[in-house]
Amino acid sequence: MPTPHRTKEICRAVRLKSTQVFIVAGTILVTVLVTLLCIGLTTRYEVENEVANVADVDYWKDRVSAVQKVWYDKGIAELNEALRKPRGPLFPKNVQIFMVQGVDGGDLAANRFPVISGNSQGNTNFVWDTFSHVARLKNSCSQQSPCQVGSVSRAFWTGIPLDVSLERESDCWIADNQTDNILSVLRQAQLAGLRTGFVTNQRITGATGAALYGNSKYECDERMPMGSIQMGCQDIARQLISGETGKSLNVIMGGGRQMLNSLVPKTKWDPVDELLCESSDGRNLLKEWRSQKLRHSKIKPIKFEVVQRTDELESLNATIFDYLMGVFANGDLSANLKAPSLGLMVEKSLKVLKRKEQKYFLLVEMFVKSGMDKRHQLKLLNETLSNLRPEEDTLTLVLMTNAIYPKPTLDVSEETETISHLPDFFGEDEKEIQRRLHQMPTESLIFAQGPKSSLFYGVQKETFLAHSMAYVLSRTQDG
């Protein structure tokens, strides 16, 4: 039987060993917890941020052939570039939209820039090919009768469906009766406090301009019924000058001088287009615009200018102006051989629009007429976009539409009509086949880059563009 002294020694030894066991166990437990925490944080970081370099991952590319591996390495480099792109602000500060009419997906595929001879890296991208999101807009015109270009423009820029737009179309717009005016995306941008601009290589009184700041079938007074004129109805050209949306525009550039002025210069490089409306009421709306801004400047100091030649635009220090109007052709801008390039007009427009404390909305329209060199026109647009300074707070959209709005019967679409006559169709010569294929309506494409570009996905209706823009513009202050 152990003595009390021996018992105490045994107990003391047991306590010591127990303490050591607890210390060791505690150390192991803490080590395990820290390890698990590190693993959890690392996993979460990699889930949220992908990986720092995808080439560090044990990729299955390493098991492909040496020839194939070269291209997988190139693909990984491109993926790394995509992963490095910053998220940027939640909502955009600025919005710029480039609308190309007369070009569709087929044209894009056929007119990609060819590569240098001997280099097998594949076709190079257009700038918009690198944009993060893309969507398709349905062409409802293949199911509508009739389908007018003005209705399509209103669907794009006011969000009103084509059939409703036809019902609302009016011959008359009176300045004193604006209670039922439709707010275009341009007007919504102005009401949200953005500086605004519209640039076109057509006429500033054309279908797009009419949807943005007008509400009439007539570009000028010549073809308006006398009864409507006597009632005080206004054509698109006069609405541009007298309407709130037009008056608030900081930049407006394009053609259409013969709609704005009754007397215009006629030259061999800029003739009057006799197929278009010619003002005959003695108006000089360019002078009225200048007088309007002059009256405004007496209340609030502003700088403004009207330019009508390319050299005037080139020499203009656009950064000092609050308002700029440029009218460079009697008819469509593209008909004037000495008209400024799209790139020059966009460059000067942005210099007017950009201010430190203000946001801006710019819509640029490029119309590619039948017979134009589409590859050349796309190259010009590509150069214009390439020269823009990247801005992470700007939403940039490129809208491509083939601008073909047929008038088929109610129960047969253009596609169905063509398919039902395939035997006859392919019996024609190649040029006629190409013409028919080109004249088939196709869906529009939207390429999107920047804050909220994720809104543009899938296949949507034409009105989706206006509805998404209304949402973005209503939240620009959150960007």
Side-chain angles (χ1 to χ4, degrees):
M1 183 175 181
T3 63
H5 178 72
R6 180 61 179 166
T7 301
K8 289 180 180 179
E9 288 181 352
I10 293 173
C11 290
R12 191 180 295 113
V14 170
R15 282 199 302 272
L16 180 60
K17 290 180 180 179
S18 299
T19 301
Q20 291 174 337
V21 170
F22 284 130
I23 291 174
V24 172
T27 302
I28 294 173
L29 181 60
V30 170
T31 302
V32 171
L33 290 175
V34 171
T35 302
L36 291 174
L37 180 62
C38 291
I39 292 173
L41 291 174
T42 303
T43 302
R44 180 178 179 182
Y45 175 81
E46 290 190 351
V47 168
E48 289 185 350
N49 299 280
E50 305 284 344
V51 287
N53 189 335
V54 291
D56 294 336
V57 178
D58 184 18
Y59 245 73
W60 67 275
K61 73 173 181 65
D62 293 325
R63 294 192 291 275
V64 300
S65 69
V67 175
Q68 194 176 6
K69 184 176 181 296
V70 172
W71 299 103
Y72 276 85
D73 288 340
K74 184 177 184 295
I76 288 175
E78 293 172 348
L79 183 55
N80 269 322
E81 183 64 27
L83 292 172
R84 282 195 292 268
K85 290 185 178 180
R87 292 185 177 182
L90 184 60
F91 280 87
K93 176 182 177 183
N94 312 305
V95 176
Q96 49 191 19
I97 304 176
F98 293 82
M99 179 186 189
V100 185
Q101 299 209 59
V103 173
D104 59 14
D107 295 320
L108 289 177
N111 292 289
R112 294 190 187 283
F113 305 148
V115 298
I116 299 174
S117 179
N119 189 338
S120 60
Q121 293 184 1
N123 290 336
T124 55
N125 290 330
F126 293 115
V127 171
W128 50 88
D129 287 334
T130 64
F131 285 10
S132 57
H133 295 88
V134 69
R136 299 178 74 94
L137 298 183
K138 298 175 184 177
N139 188 341
S140 298
C141 295
S142 59
Q143 300 170 356
Q144 297 288 329
S145 177
C147 195
Q148 300 174 358
V149 62
S151 300
V152 178
S153 294
R154 280 189 287 273
F156 279 145
W157 307 118
T158 68
I160 298 177
L162 291 170
D163 51 350
V164 178
S165 180
L166 286 170
E167 294 173 2
R168 292 183 59 90
E169 194 169 71
S170 172
D171 287 341
C172 188
W173 185 92
I174 301 174
D176 295 333
N177 182 21
Q178 303 182 42
T179 56
D180 196 30
N181 273 3
I182 298 168
L183 296 182
S184 67
V185 295
L186 187 66
R187 184 56 179 161
Q188 292 175 54
Q190 293 171 350
L191 295 175
L194 279 69
R195 295 170 63 78
T196 54
F198 173 52
V199 173
T200 178
N201 72 338
Q202 276 204 296
R203 309 175 302 282
I204 56 179
T205 55
T208 301
L212 293 173
Y213 42 74
N215 183 24
S216 174
K217 296 179 182 179
Y218 308 102
E219 292 189 51
C220 74
D221 58 288
E222 181 191 31
R223 299 174 186 178
M224 183 179 285
M226 184 57 65
S228 298
I229 295 176
Q230 292 173 347
M231 288 173 56
C233 301
Q234 294 188 0
D235 52 72
I236 301 300
R238 192 164 289 281
Q239 288 178 52
L240 169 60
I241 304 302
S242 63
E244 288 303 316
T245 306
K247 287 193 294 186
S248 300
L249 271 169
N250 299 94
V251 176
I252 179 74
M253 287 197 210
R257 188 187 295 114
Q258 68 189 59
M259 292 80 180
L260 296 161
N261 290 359
S262 294
L263 296 176
V264 297
K266 303 174 184 178
T267 61
K268 61 181 180 181
W269 60 82
D270 184 24
V272 169
D273 193 329
E274 296 180 355
L275 297 178
L276 299 174
C277 184
E278 295 180 57
S279 176
S280 58
D281 62 358
R283 67 177 58 178
N284 188 337
L285 296 183
L286 294 179
K287 183 178 179 180
E288 284 189 31
W289 184 88
R290 185 185 289 275
S291 299
Q292 181 188 101
K293 297 305 181 214
L294 185 60
R295 290 193 298 271
H296 185 187
S297 66
K298 293 179 180 179
I299 302 172
K300 178 183 177 182
I302 59 170
K303 289 192 174 183
F304 57 91
E305 188 58 275
V306 176
V307 291
Q308 299 190 61
R309 299 197 315 269
T310 299
D311 60 331
E312 292 177 333
L313 184 62
E314 289 174 334
S315 61
L316 189 74
N317 181 10
T319 56
I320 68 172
F321 290 100
D322 301 292
Y323 296 91
L324 175 62
M325 173 175 274
V327 183
F328 305 103
N330 291 326
D332 287 334
L333 191 69
S334 56
N336 185 350
L337 301 178
K338 295 187 177 182
S341 66
L342 186 74
L344 177 61
M345 293 192 294
V346 170
E347 175 193 343
K348 296 295 184 178
S349 296
L350 289 173
K351 287 183 177 180
V352 174
L353 293 175
K354 289 183 178 180
R355 294 291 186 271
K356 286 185 178 180
E357 303 301 326
Q358 284 187 275
K359 307 165 186 180
Y360 70 83
F361 176 96
L362 174 64
L363 174 58
V364 179
E365 177 187 39
M366 174 188 245
F367 197 95
V368 182
K369 291 184 177 180
S370 177
M372 282 186 171
D373 185 341
K374 292 187 177 182
R375 174 172 290 176
H376 178 66
Q377 296 301 316
L378 288 171
K379 184 177 179 180
L380 293 177
L381 178 62
N382 199 60
E383 290 175 353
T384 298
L385 289 168
S386 298
N387 292 331
L388 295 181
R389 183 177 299 176
E391 298 175 342
E392 69 169 18
D393 58 359
T394 299
L395 172 62
T396 301
L397 304 180
V398 176
L399 170 63
M400 301 279 183
T401 171
N402 73 351
I404 295 172
Y405 314 118
K407 302 177 183 178
T409 59
L410 285 173
D411 56 343
V412 181
S413 72
E414 186 79 5
E415 294 90 337
T416 306
E417 185 73 21
T418 301
I419 291 171
S420 65
H421 291 87
L422 277 180
D424 299 332
F425 183 74
F426 287 108
E428 298 172 346
D429 61 45
E430 185 178 348
K431 286 186 178 179
E432 181 63 19
I433 292 174
Q434 291 294 334
R435 185 190 68 80
R436 287 199 181 214
L437 289 173
H438 175 73
Q439 290 183 349
M440 285 180 64
T442 61
E443 294 174 338
S444 302
L445 293 173
I446 294 183
F447 300 86
Q449 178 80 306
K452 284 301 169 189
S453 60
S454 58
L455 290 172
F456 299 93
Y457 75 98
V459 181
Q460 311 289 349
K461 296 179 180 179
E462 294 104 333
T463 53
F464 180 79
L465 176 58
H467 299 159
S468 58
M469 281 294 95
Y471 170 68
V472 169
L473 293 169
S474 69
R475 301 290 299 276
T476 51
Q477 66 271 17
D478 299 334

